[in-house]
Amino acid sequence: MRVFLILAFSISIFNCENTPSKPKPNTSIQTTDTTSNAKVSKLKNTPPQYPVLNTKNAMEYFLEYEKQNKQNKVRMVTDFGAIDILLFNETKFHRANFIYLATRKYYDSTQFYRVINNFMIQGGSSDDKKTGLKRRDIGRYLLPVDGKKGFKHDRGTISMPSSDIENPHKLASPYEFFIVQQRGGAHYLNGNYTVFGKVIKGMDVVDKIAAVDTDKSDWPQQNVYIKTVKILE
């Protein structure tokens, strides 16, 4: 049985509130967390330049990190091929966060764990314990929703799910993301989640992933892995 863990460090997958419904059921964005009740601590092999992030230091850290790391193009290598993504400079914290996690090799061997054809593919988590260890090493922190930059959930945009259980400010999971696959976009999500980039090459790969067979929880019958995320420029 697969284990779904939420960012609030409890075991379950949940629907995001205030998400407009669609004719097709179960089309909300969810978030998981594999650090269940793990004490956030710096591992012995963690390089000194990488502090363990928390709610107190994360925003200050990324404010400085984004100034020093201006990369905004990445290649996500999956089991079905490569997806090239342009990260928006306007959403600086989310761009910096994604570049940072790619640099830390967090996404390597994570999965697209929730797939709904003609809606979205959601990735950045896994039922592998190694993912939980990576999160413990990097830290427990949240990013504020930044939905006021004018970006909409068009087809091909990459956005960040919100963890809104017991969270009135709707802070977002820093580890997970979803790519809108729905033709015509999923504009009913606008304002509730942060669009921070778009696919510039590889939407055919997104469509292939979206078309895989899934179980009742929308998890692919055969795991779809993100092999790595490479920073292009």
Side-chain angles (χ1 to χ4, degrees), residues 126-222:
S126 173
D127 55 358
D128 191 327
K129 292 182 179 179
K130 291 181 180 179
T131 300
L133 292 176
K134 288 181 182 180
R135 292 191 182 198
R136 185 181 68 178
D137 188 10
I138 295 170
R140 179 183 179 181
Y141 64 101
L142 296 169
L143 295 177
V145 175
D146 188 357
K148 298 182 179 180
K149 294 297 191 295
F151 300 119
K152 298 180 180 180
H153 286 83
D154 297 326
R155 172 174 160 84
T157 53
I158 181 171
S159 186
M160 184 167 285
S162 171
S163 77
D164 49 13
I165 286 184
E166 298 180 356
N167 185 5
H169 303 294
K170 300 189 74 172
L171 296 174
S173 164
Y175 293 106
E176 298 164 40
F177 62 89
F178 63 94
I179 299 175
V180 177
Q181 185 257 346
Q182 182 172 333
R183 298 186 184 281
H187 296 149
Y188 49 88
L189 300 177
N190 294 343
N192 290 321
Y193 311 97
T194 301
V195 175
F196 64 96
K198 66 179 181 180
V199 174
I200 54 177
K201 184 179 180 181
M203 274 306 295
D204 58 324
V205 176
V206 175
D207 288 334
K208 290 176 182 178
I209 294 173
V212 302
D213 293 332
T214 61
D215 61 19
K216 293 181 180 180
S217 299
D218 301 318
W219 194 300
Q221 295 283 6
Q222 294 187 339

